[in-house]
Amino acid sequence: MSGTHTRTGGAAGAPGTVRLTTAQALVRFLTAQYTERDGERRRLVDATWGIFGHGNVAGIGQALVEYGETMPFHQGRNEQAMVHAAVGYARQCGRLSTHAVTTSIGPGATNLVTGAALATVNHLPVLLLPGDTFATRPADPVLQQLEVPYAGDVSVNDCLRPVSKYFDRITRPEALIPAALQAMRVLTDPVDTGAVTLALPQDVQAEGFDWPREFFAERVWTVRRQSPDPAELAAAARLVRAAGRPLVVAGGGVHHSAAEQALAAFADATGIPVAATQAGKGSLHHDHPADVGGIGHTGTSTADELARTADLVIGVGTRYTDFTTASGTLFAAPGVRFVNINVAAFDAHKMAGATVVADARAALEGLREALAGHRVDTAYAAGYGDGKERWEHRVDAAYEAGEPDARPTQAQVLGLLDEIVTDADVLVNAAGSLPGDLHKLWRARSPQQYHVEYGYSCMGYEIPAAIGVSLAAPERPVWALVGDGTYLMMPTEIVTAVQEDIPVKVVILQNHGYASIGGLSESVGGERFGTAYRHRAPDGGYTGTPLPVDLAANAASLGLPVTRAKTVRELRAALREAREADGPTCVYVETETADTVSGPPPAQAWWDVPVAETATRTAAVAAREEYDRHVSARRRHL
């Protein structure tokens, strides 16, 4: 492959080389890396996020100035949030493009850990470039250095090792060459992708070296589509043909593989119903006859009843988390079997399933051909069709707005959004009670509309991730749906959205506390302890008076135009106005509790949160009795 990028700085080195600093070489290398899948070619690292301090300001910072024309830069306000923005960008790009993130040493570097874990858990690529302490140790310790008496080569960046899919510390300039190539390999690997960390000692960043020109040649990294093994595919087809009540569980791998059309064709041909995990929701359009909604603890009654009686579960790109399996209690039929289609053998072997280790799209196409002419019984299809219709009536009831001058519930907020969005809109969420309501209620209109991060369910993800999504798809309206607890975790990237005029639509739902964890606390005997934003009472409890916290004013102080919507009527107008806004904007609404009006249906399946085995308080004793009842139904699929 021949290089197409020319040198913009640095003196000539030895013949066939170019003299640059390590940081300059890295940035120039990144501008020449591309991905290709199915004939689509994209730049792998489209931009770099950064917060500068000692450790990266004179190295990577100077290099980004040097190559500013070919490497766009975004100024972050929180290191964790920068990773979330890069992850949001990568997910919207189908993992074919991502961003890099650079930080100073010390707290700047350690602030990356949560974002790195989120990226790795969700199999989403992001390149982390934290500064590191001096490789040459001219002064020991330097500012913000962690001293480890038993190991001189440890720094705080070693915290990133367990949450990275690849980690290296570049202690010599020439060590960058193999490390950078390995980093690109991992970022583009459908199985092993996640956070990739290249720790960069600050002296090495600024050190000059004669780099071989070939290092900067344009490289295209092919994102593989692994074909299914014929024997595995044939075995899977035999199991499907023998099943009377098969069910597909669509996971995030369907989206990662861009297999949505292949899944729809498979469902059309076989009539097998499709339930979706949080990561897989949107794999089918909500009104597809085979789509039965979310599965598991936050799933629909239709999907969960099908799961309880299924004799064959066909997992496509799913990790079978505890929310999906209802902590091992959902798939209850005595002889239930599993067929697992997954590009990762580690996940394909779960639930003691028959494996099809392959790309989801390739495997679904192959399985459809192997099942030519096979369809489920008409009575089975009619049954889940009736169940789908019944659930839609429950969604309608939860969405019903009621009196125009009443305060809306959280479900009604979603219902009003449902009125105005099209298949172009993207909804971003991650934590609190919203993921459960969205999984049960939201009618996904396109594969990319439902962007809920639930692998790590990280509070604070929503606003920076929405920025990343908007950068990847500037033509789409992007909504960051945040509760008050999540908002308080990480509102800082609002400033970045304002600075760069990124038109995210932030919707703050204020219910004055951690509603999700408060409800969980109540159900497990914790009596909502420590979950409310309310004044202390003399007895140590809380009064009914909320704290005088004004999140709308806070968002406005960070530069967002904010509309306060007090009623259903005002909220409907505010959401419509926000959708048409050219720049970043915010809608703030205090929500009514579901105790007084129709809310979302309750959980349709269990989730294991251990309850105190011994207690004196009545709530905990009762919760333990209920816990023991559910635990007795758990099984291991062997």
Side-chain angles (χ1 to χ4, degrees), residues 225-233 356-359 362-364 366-367:
R225 284 199 182 278
Q226 183 176 342
S227 298
D229 179 87
E232 288 192 333
L233 197 63
V356 181
V357 181
D359 170 81
L364 284 168
L367 188 57

Side-chain angles (χ1 to χ4, degrees), residues 147-170:
E147 291 187 273
V148 181
Y150 63 83
D153 63 345
V154 171
S155 79
V156 297
N157 281 333
D158 288 277
C159 294
L160 287 159
R161 288 182 183 269
V163 293
S164 298
K165 298 297 284 189
Y166 179 80
F167 178 98
D168 203 350
R169 180 176 284 112
I170 312 303

Side-chain angles (χ1 to χ4, degrees), residues 145-525:
Q145 178 178 339
L146 173 71
E147 291 187 273
V148 181
Y150 63 83
D153 63 345
V154 171
S155 79
V156 297
N157 281 333
D158 288 277
C159 294
L160 287 159
R161 288 182 183 269
V163 293
S164 298
K165 298 297 284 189
Y166 179 80
F167 178 98
D168 203 350
R169 180 176 284 112
I170 312 303
T171 57
R172 290 292 306 141
E174 56 266 40
L176 176 65
I177 295 175
L181 293 170
Q182 288 291 343
M184 300 304 104
R185 175 190 65 79
V186 174
L187 287 172
T188 57
D189 190 304
V191 177
D192 287 336
T193 195
V196 168
T197 300
L198 297 180
L200 303 170
Q202 56 181 311
D203 50 347
V204 177
Q205 288 182 44
E207 186 175 346
F209 183 74
D210 293 337
W211 301 89
R213 290 184 181 275
E214 291 82 359
F215 182 54
F216 307 112
E218 202 172 273
R219 285 179 172 84
V220 178
W221 302 82
T222 300
V223 179
R224 299 184 302 277
R225 284 199 182 278
Q226 183 176 342
S227 298
D229 179 87
E232 288 192 333
L233 197 63
R238 287 194 296 272
L239 287 169
V240 175
R241 286 184 179 278
R245 297 183 61 82
L247 172 68
V248 169
V249 175
V254 175
H255 293 309
H256 294 333
S257 175
E260 296 91 354
Q261 290 184 8
L263 178 62
F266 178 82
D268 288 338
T270 64
I272 299 175
V274 177
T277 69
Q278 283 280 13
K281 192 173 171 75
S283 295
L284 290 184
H285 196 281
H286 74 90
D287 61 2
H288 189 286
D291 180 72
V292 293
I295 191 170
H297 178 64
T298 53
T300 70
S301 62
T302 308
D304 285 352
E305 281 305 309
L306 287 169
R308 290 185 181 100
T309 59
D311 56 2
L312 181 70
V313 178
I314 307 167
V316 184
T318 178
R319 298 187 298 131
Y320 288 111
T321 67
D322 61 344
F323 258 59
T324 298
T325 68
S327 300
T329 63
L330 187 57
F331 304 111
V336 62
R337 300 285 301 278
F338 294 81
V339 168
N340 296 327
I341 297 171
N342 206 298
V343 71
F346 175 80
D347 290 316
H349 282 275
K350 290 177 178 176
M351 314 295 279
T355 63
V356 181
V357 181
D359 170 81
R361 192 174 85 180
L364 284 168
E365 290 172 346
L367 188 57
R368 176 169 59 87
E369 292 176 5
L371 292 169
H374 174 76
R375 285 189 63 83
V376 299
D377 185 79
T378 54
Y380 181 51
Y384 72 70
D386 290 343
K388 175 181 172 69
E389 185 176 355
R390 287 193 298 273
W391 185 261
E392 287 301 317
H393 290 316
R394 298 185 73 176
V395 175
D396 289 338
Y399 278 179
E400 178 59 46
E403 292 297 325
D405 294 322
R407 178 185 291 180
T409 66
Q410 182 165 281
Q412 289 167 345
V413 174
L414 299 182
L416 293 173
L417 268 174
D418 182 72
E419 291 180 9
I420 67 170
V421 301
T422 70
D423 58 1
D425 294 66
V426 180
L427 274 63
V428 182
N429 185 245
S433 56
L434 272 167
D437 289 357
L438 285 162
H439 198 208
K440 286 195 285 272
L441 303 176
W442 188 255
R443 292 160 169 156
R445 292 164 168 79
S446 70
Q448 293 183 320
Q449 183 172 84
Y450 189 86
H451 186 124
V452 174
E453 187 285 299
Y454 216 61
Y456 212 50
S457 188
C458 185
M459 295 177 71
Y461 173 82
E462 291 87 347
I463 294 172
I467 291 172
V469 171
S470 189
L471 289 170
E475 74 285 358
R476 289 179 176 269
V478 182
W479 302 83
L481 307 182
V482 297
D484 49 289
T486 288
Y487 178 86
L488 287 169
M489 283 279 182
M490 200 173 296
T492 51
E493 298 318 293
I494 285 174
V495 179
T496 298
V498 171
Q499 179 177 0
E500 299 196 18
D501 197 31
I502 301 169
V504 294
K505 294 103 173 50
V506 179
V507 180
I508 303 174
L509 294 89
Q510 169 67 280
N511 55 28
H512 302 287
Y514 300 111
S516 174
I517 206 68
L520 176 63
S521 171
E522 186 173 49
S523 70
V524 297

Side-chain angles (χ1 to χ4, degrees), residues 103-121:
T103 72
S104 62
I105 72 170
T110 52
N111 279 350
L112 294 173
V113 173
T114 298
L118 181 146
T120 294
V121 165

